[in-house]
């Protein structure tokens, strides 16, 4: 059984530092049994992540792309992520924080690929997502991983879960092939309709092909968090590798 302290120690050993901008894709099951002491496993992991980047920003994906295809509605409080338990817990934490006036946790206003940000500058960090209309543009929160020298933690999952690569693909080719009208509701209950533009790009299942090139430039630190095989990826090195590979592919 792993305690919060154990998880923090493993994260530190992997290379996560206090001032990092960090996003994380997680398999809770892969970690193993977590000692909660009144908290869920997801809450323990989130608290451990927050402790590790106490002077930075933690960015937890809260994607709803599947949900808004079925019903084109994004309610920032009620539209739950379609990518697992930990993101749903992060959204619930954001709802409580907003209601309490806590400015260190908030969900972004991106209708299909929102994130929950934790940190002193959380509100400022997510503001860019209010104005984007494609799924993962470099002008949104995912682009900040490059511009601010962030890191991507793949905790018990492989490169196919690295959403940041979709942002790089949008930078290369943002050809729009469709649009969806989505009814959006914010924290204050205000609603409006906005378009989400759909862009083309390689499927996430193809992302594992970048592994050798990422290893060659030292972009990945490997280790374990609990029982979970994990990778910590340098966002700028990842950007360079994906850009070079994709440009060669489309020549």
């Amino acid at each position: 059984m792993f305690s919060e302290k154990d998880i923090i120690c493993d994260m530190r050993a992997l290379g996560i530092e206090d001032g990092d901008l960090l996003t994380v894709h997680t398999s809770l099951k892969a970690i193993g049994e977590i000692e909660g002491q009144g908290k869920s496993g997801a809450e323990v992991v989130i608290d451990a992540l927050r402790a590790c980047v106490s002077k930075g920003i933690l960015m937890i994906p809260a994607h709803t792309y599947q949900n808004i295809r079925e019903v084109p509605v994004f309610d920032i409080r009620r539209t739950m992520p379609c990518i697992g338990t930990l993101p749903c817990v992060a959204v619930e934490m954001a709802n409580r924080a907003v209601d309490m006036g806590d400015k260190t946790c908030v969900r972004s206003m991106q209708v299909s690929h929102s994130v929950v940000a934790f940190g002193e500058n959380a509100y400022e960090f997510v503001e860019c997502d209010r104005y984007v209309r494609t799924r993962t543009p470099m002008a949104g929160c995912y682009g900040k991983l490059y511009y601010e020298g962030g890191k991507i933690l793949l905790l018990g999952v492989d490169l196919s879960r690295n959403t940041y690569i979709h942002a790089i693909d949008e930078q290369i080719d943002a050809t729009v092939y469709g649009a969806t009208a989505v009814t959006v509701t914010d924290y204050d209950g205000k609603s409006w309709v906005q378009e989400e533009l759909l862009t083309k790009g390689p499927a996430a299942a193809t992302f594992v092909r970048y592994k050798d090139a990422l290893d060659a430039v030292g972009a990945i630190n490997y280790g374990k968090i609990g029982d979970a095989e994990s990778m910590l990826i340098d966002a700028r090195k990842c950007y360079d590798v994906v850009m070079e590979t994709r440009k060669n592919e489309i020549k």
Side-chain angles (χ1 to χ4, degrees):
M1 183 176 289
F2 299 101
S3 68
E4 184 175 324
K5 183 178 179 180
D6 294 331
I7 293 170
I8 291 171
C9 288
D10 289 346
M11 290 176 177
R12 289 284 188 221
L14 196 59
I16 298 172
E17 300 175 337
D18 285 340
D20 283 342
L21 163 56
L22 178 74
T23 191
V24 57
H25 298 276
T26 305
S27 167
L28 283 175
K29 183 178 179 180
I31 296 171
E33 191 172 358
I34 298 171
E35 182 183 336
Q37 294 185 336
K39 296 189 288 188
S40 70
E43 289 172 319
V44 171
V45 172
I46 291 172
D47 286 348
L49 288 161
R50 294 182 73 175
C52 283
V53 293
S54 59
K55 297 178 182 178
I57 291 284
L58 171 63
M59 178 175 116
I60 295 182
H63 304 167
T64 55
Y65 52 84
Q66 184 174 332
N67 300 340
I68 68 165
R69 279 202 299 266
E70 296 169 355
V71 180
V73 169
F74 176 73
D75 184 319
I76 197 167
R77 290 180 178 271
R78 297 177 179 84
T79 305
M80 287 293 117
C82 57
I83 54 172
T85 300
L86 188 139
C88 292
V89 171
V91 169
E92 292 168 354
M93 287 181 166
N95 287 345
R96 291 196 296 270
V98 170
D99 290 340
M100 294 171 58
D102 177 359
K103 295 294 186 180
T104 66
C105 178
V106 67
R107 188 182 191 179
S108 75
M109 289 295 299
Q110 213 291 336
V111 299
S112 66
H113 285 71
S114 65
V115 302
V116 176
F118 297 85
E120 184 176 347
N121 298 315
Y123 273 70
E124 178 184 359
F125 181 84
V126 302
E127 184 64 15
C128 58
D129 266 3
R130 184 179 294 273
Y131 306 104
V132 301
R133 292 297 176 264
T134 57
R135 288 172 288 191
T136 52
M138 291 296 289
C141 288
Y142 279 100
K144 288 188 174 184
L145 289 165
Y146 174 77
Y147 296 119
E148 299 184 16
K151 297 173 182 176
I152 303 107
L153 174 61
L154 302 181
L155 201 171
V157 299
D158 65 19
L159 280 167
S160 67
R161 295 284 294 276
N162 187 356
T163 301
Y164 172 63
I165 295 177
H166 284 305
I168 305 170
D169 284 331
E170 275 201 41
Q171 183 84 337
I172 295 166
D173 182 5
T175 302
V176 174
Y177 70 87
T180 302
V182 181
T183 300
V184 180
T185 303
D186 66 13
Y187 281 117
D188 296 326
K190 179 182 177 182
S191 295
W192 64 92
V193 176
Q194 71 181 46
E195 273 195 329
E196 185 195 33
L197 304 178
L198 307 178
T199 58
K200 295 182 177 180
T206 69
F207 294 170
V208 293
R209 75 188 193 277
Y210 297 118
K211 184 177 181 299
D212 289 346
L214 290 168
D215 284 336
V217 298
I220 307 178
N221 289 343
Y222 294 92
K224 275 192 171 185
I225 296 175
D227 288 332
E229 299 289 347
S230 300
M231 293 179 272
L232 186 66
I233 303 172
D234 181 295
R236 286 181 175 165
K237 289 180 179 178
C238 181
Y239 179 94
D240 292 342
V241 164
V242 174
M243 284 291 285
E244 182 177 0
T245 304
R246 293 282 286 116
K247 285 180 178 179
N248 289 333
E249 288 174 348
I250 62 179
K251 280 182 180 178

